[in-house]
């Protein structure tokens, strides 16, 4: 219960930054998983989870309006599931635990995005009902109250989604770990293949001839550096 | 920083700047950032005009732009209102919408297509190598850039007023956009290279899996299928294949 509360608070604070604030990148999986890992211990496992999720959800397109799943809830829940599962079971098969947690994070993020869109309709309708008062002081006060109310709504909703997601994910991770016998190797392979999605995203995002050449240059640089070092 | 000339002091601009950090707190589909815009403009309205209520009423309409460029528009609008809104409320509104559209395009390319991808790809690289100082550096530098653009943008917009759009038509801005987008492509290629070489070092099967998955995900992306849905779908497929092989 205490762990769920901590995860909910972390998710709420990050949601304020991501949705109501200046979007500082703290809500991105690579950072949110690091934060959760630092709070619960198991930084390494949490960061592995964060890297996998970041590669899957690599947001490098210029277009606004394109929707990822709820990466904040997914990242926080994934890292939380990893840390709490390792804490509880001490399972030496860390790659399997991380793979199970990443899968749960992907599921929870999709579900959270769906819930957020449905439940967020209430917030939308409330904000659209705003009418500007004639008195300046009342108007500025009302604008501030609406902004604060909307931010609070976002924070509370994200906290609830994260707590519910973690509650389900911990059980699902335990189930996957218990049932995975011979499948463990294949699931670890699935996990190790997830960064390949980032390769595809990069290739798709920088599809013009000029950018493709620069990306290829970066690719060659990485190959040369890995060969030299 | 150049001294502020006008009715708003540096302290006023600082207060407005803090409001702009939470521009998206009350974002909604119909008005988009309208409430955030009113909140920011409202904190300086009393200083620039004798009828701040009328100023708010004039700007109580749809507003949407890149949030990092919005302070520039807010500064420009406050200057125009301070100068008496030459041309009438309709021309001020047209100016605001024109600025919002132009800066949205530039901001999306610069931040969404450039700076943010650079930061995220470098952060992922540092996370792969567990290089924590690098992660912290990326976070700090990215936010420093964001805050600086917003803060200086507000002062810039307030200084320029009507001349704001012309300032963004200069070749320097276009060169900066090309440069940051090029940097993002290079960082992306670097991350792709690290992923592929890491797979190569793990063995032939890992490399084959990585290349195969990348190809499938790329094809899916071209057809508009989100790659994260593929990742989700592959998990049960991998489980079933493992069961069948066993």
């Amino acid at each position: 219960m205490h762990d769920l509360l901590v995860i909910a608070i972390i998710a709420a604070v990050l949601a304020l930054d991501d949705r109501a604030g200046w979007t500082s990148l703290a809500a991105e999986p690579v950072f949110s998983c690091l934060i959760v890992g630092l709070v619960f211990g198991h930084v390494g496992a949490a960061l592995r989870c964060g890297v996998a999720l970041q590669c899957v959800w690599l947001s490098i397109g210029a277009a606004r309006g394109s929707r990822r799943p709820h990466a904040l809830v997914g990242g926080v829940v994934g890292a939380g599931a990893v840390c709490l599962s390792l804490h509880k079971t001490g399972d030496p098969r860390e790659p399997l635990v991380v793979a199970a947690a990443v899968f749960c994070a992907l599921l929870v993020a999709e579900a959270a995005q769906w819930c957020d869109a449905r439940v967020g309709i209430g917030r939308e309708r409330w904000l659209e009902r705003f009418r500007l008062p004639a008195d300046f002081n009342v108007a500025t006060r009302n604008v501030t109250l609406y902004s604060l109310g909307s931010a609070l709504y976002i924070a509370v909703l994200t906290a609830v989604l994260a707590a519910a997601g973690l509650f389900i994910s911990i059980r699902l991770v335990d189930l996957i770990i218990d049932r995975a016998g011979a499948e463990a190797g294949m699931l670890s392979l699935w996990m190790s293949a997830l960064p390949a999605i980032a390769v595809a995203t990069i290739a798709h995002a920088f599809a013009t001839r000029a950018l493709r050449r620069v990306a290829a240059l970066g690719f060659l640089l990485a190959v040369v550096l890995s060969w030299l070092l | 920083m150049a001294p502020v000339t006008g009715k708003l002091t540096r302290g006023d601009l600082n207060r407005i700047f803090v409001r702009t950090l939470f521009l998206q707190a009350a974002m909604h589909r119909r008005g988009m950032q309208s409430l955030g815009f009113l909140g920011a403009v409202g904190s300086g309205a009393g200083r620039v005009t004798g009828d701040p209520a009328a100023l708010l009423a004039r700007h109580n309409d749809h507003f949407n732009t890149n949030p990092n460029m919005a302070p520039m528009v807010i500064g420009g609008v406050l200057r125009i209102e301070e100068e008496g809104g030459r041309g009438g409320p309709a021309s001020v509104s047209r100016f605001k919408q024109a600025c919002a559209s132009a800066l949205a395009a530039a901001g999306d390319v610069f931040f969404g297509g450039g700076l943010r991808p650079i930061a995220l790809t470098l952060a992922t690289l540092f996370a792969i190598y567990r290089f924590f100082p690098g992660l912290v550096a990326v976070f700090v530098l990215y936010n420093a850039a964001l805050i600086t653009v917003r803060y200086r943008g507000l002062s810039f917009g307030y200084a320029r007023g009507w001349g704001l759009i012309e300032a963004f038509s200069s070749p320097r801005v276009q060169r900066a956009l090309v440069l940051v987008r090029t940097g993002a492509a290079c960082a992306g290629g670097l991350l792709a290279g690290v992923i592929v070489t890491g797979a190569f070092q793990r063995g032939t099967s890992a490399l084959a899996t990585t290349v195969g998955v990348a190809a499938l995900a790329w094809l899916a992306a071209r057809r508009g299928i989100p790659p994260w849905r593929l990742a989700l779908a592959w998990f049960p497929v991998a489980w079933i294949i493992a069961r069948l092989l066993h």
Side-chain angles (χ1 to χ4, degrees), chain A residues 24 28 64 124 150 183, chain B residues 25 29 108 116 143 228 243:
Chain A
S24 71
E28 291 293 325
R64 282 183 296 147
E124 291 273 332
S150 173
E183 295 87 355
Chain B
R29 272 196 205 102
D108 284 352
R116 191 181 171 92
N143 281 285
W228 49 82
R243 279 263 152 140

Side-chain angles (χ1 to χ4, degrees), chain A residues 19-26 28 30-31 34 43-44 47-48 51 54-57 59-62 64 67-69 103 106-107 110 123-124 127-128 130 132 134 136 139 143-144 147 150-151 154 176 179-180 182-183 186-187 190 192-200 202-206 211 214-215 218-219 221-223 226, chain B residues 19 21-22 24-30 35 39 42 45 52-53 56-57 60 64-65 104 108 112-113 116-117 119-120 123-124 127-128 130 132 135 139 142-143 146-147 150 181-182 184-186 188-197 202 209-210 213-214 217-218 221-222 227-229 231-232 234-235 238-239 241-243 246:
Chain A
R19 304 275 300 277
W22 66 91
T23 325
S24 71
L25 293 189
E28 291 293 325
V30 72
F31 291 105
L34 177 64
V43 175
L47 205 53
R48 281 185 65 184
V51 167
Q54 190 68 66
C55 287
V56 173
W57 292 327
S59 166
I60 57 174
R64 282 183 296 147
R67 280 213 176 270
R68 288 189 302 180
F103 173 66
L106 293 172
L107 267 179
E110 293 280 350
R123 185 186 75 98
E124 291 273 332
L127 289 171
E128 283 169 10
F130 173 81
L132 190 71
F136 175 68
V143 166
T144 305
S147 297
S150 173
I154 289 166
I176 291 169
R179 295 285 175 91
E183 295 87 355
M186 187 62 85
L187 297 183
W190 170 84
S192 64
L194 290 183
I197 294 175
V199 176
I202 290 161
H204 185 69
F206 303 112
L211 290 178
V214 177
F219 186 94
L221 185 64
V223 170
S226 70
Chain B
R19 294 285 184 110
L21 292 177
F22 303 100
Q24 308 221 93
M27 187 142 166
H28 58 290
R29 272 196 205 102
R30 195 189 291 175
L35 279 171
L56 286 187
N60 182 24
N64 186 32
T65 190
D108 284 352
R116 191 181 171 92
L120 286 178
T124 309
I128 288 171
R130 310 275 171 98
F132 296 108
L135 272 173
F139 187 82
Y142 177 79
N143 281 285
L146 229 62
I147 300 290
R150 285 182 178 228
R181 193 92 175 110
T182 306
C186 188
L190 206 61
L191 177 62
V194 164
I195 290 168
V196 172
T197 51
R202 286 197 305 273
T209 308
T210 298
V213 166
W218 180 76
R222 279 173 64 95
W228 49 82
R229 296 257 167 95
L232 255 179
W234 281 332
F235 188 91
W239 187 286
I241 290 172
R243 279 263 152 140
H246 183 64

